[in-house]
């Protein structure tokens, strides 16, 4: 029996970007980061003039994720791509993690699924997985149910709140239930 994978989105679950902008959420620290993926979203602006991205991160998430690493193989599944290992992992105290990459441009697929969904199912290749993301919807659940043979937990996280105690409880219970 293979260990389940845990696919991690950054913006939403780890960085509650939609929280009230003027008030840093409790437990989080503020970071100003300029990953290449962010610079690329400002075509025509010289790199030096691109305003850094404000990122809120919670060290408690690192502790909880390291502990989930006993049950899951953690994998980045985020627009940050490989830069999640450079910018996010060190702040949270996570080791370098594998990264899912997508060939297709970002957007919604014609069938209404989120652009990550098909690639994650392909990456999982039948292994059980949990996926935390703020952009999971009904079409994604339907797609996974139809195209993935193993157990799957698609766990939507509110981007105003980020991952909270209850979310970690759900993730732990899922992994324990399938072993
Ligand atoms: Mg997100």
């Amino acid at each position: 029996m293979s260990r389940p994978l845990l696919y991690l989105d950054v913006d939403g679950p780890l960085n509650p970007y939609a929280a009230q902008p003027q008030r840093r959420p409790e437990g989080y620290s503020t970071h100003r980061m300029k990953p290449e993926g962010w610079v690329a979203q400002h075509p025509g602006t010289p790199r030096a003039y691109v305003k850094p991205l404000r990122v809120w991160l919670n060290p408690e998430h690192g502790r909880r994720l390291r502990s989930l690493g006993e049950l899951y193989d953690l994998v980045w599944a985020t627009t940050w791509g490989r830069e999640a290992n450079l910018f996010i992992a060190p702040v949270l105290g996570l080791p370098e993690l594998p990264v899912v990459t997508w060939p297709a441009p970002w957007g919604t697929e014609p069938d209404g699924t989120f652009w990550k969904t098909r690639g994650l199912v392909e990456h999982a290749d039948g292994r059980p997985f949990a996926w935390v993301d703020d952009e999971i919807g009904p079409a994604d659940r339907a797609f996974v149910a139809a195209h993935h043979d193993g157990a799957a937990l698609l766990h939507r996280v509110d981007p105003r709140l980020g991952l909270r105690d209850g979310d970690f409880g759900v993730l732990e219970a899922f992994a324990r239930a399938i072993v």
Side-chain angles (χ1 to χ4, degrees):
M1 183 80 193
S2 54
R3 277 154 59 86
L5 298 149
L6 175 53
Y7 292 121
L8 292 170
D9 180 28
V10 170
D11 295 312
L14 298 179
N15 170 31
Y17 63 86
Q20 281 190 31
Q22 302 316 328
R23 205 167 59 194
R24 175 166 49 86
E26 200 184 327
Y28 287 78
S29 52
T30 303
H31 305 266
R32 311 260 171 208
M33 299 175 167
K34 212 190 274 194
E36 291 309 317
W38 174 245
V39 174
Q41 289 176 43
H42 299 77
T45 306
R47 195 182 188 292
Y49 292 98
V50 174
K51 201 177 152 200
L53 176 66
R54 184 209 59 211
V55 181
W56 284 317
L57 293 172
N58 186 341
E60 175 69 4
H61 284 168
R63 196 183 66 73
R64 301 294 295 265
L65 288 172
R66 285 196 300 278
S67 147
L68 280 179
E70 290 167 21
L71 300 168
Y72 286 97
D73 289 343
L74 274 49
V75 181
W76 292 120
T78 161
T79 52
W80 287 72
R82 302 189 181 288
E83 293 191 301
N85 279 325
L86 296 175
F87 289 89
I88 308 298
V91 176
L92 296 182
L94 292 174
E96 189 173 327
L97 300 176
V99 179
V100 182
T101 53
W102 287 268
W106 304 341
T108 304
E109 302 284 344
D111 64 358
T113 56
F114 185 36
W115 57 267
K116 289 180 184 175
T117 311
R118 180 180 299 271
L120 290 187
V121 167
E122 282 171 15
H123 185 277
D125 195 20
R127 279 179 70 180
F129 72 86
W131 173 23
V132 288
D133 203 298
D134 58 309
E135 298 191 67
I136 291 167
D140 304 298
R141 297 183 193 285
F143 183 90
V144 171
H147 296 95
H148 178 71
D149 286 335
L153 171 71
L154 275 63
H155 188 71
R156 186 183 175 274
V157 176
D158 189 326
R160 294 169 299 181
L161 303 171
L163 279 166
R164 295 183 296 171
D165 224 29
D167 301 304
F168 286 102
V170 169
L171 290 167
E172 192 179 321
F174 173 75
R176 292 201 189 283
I178 60 175
V179 289

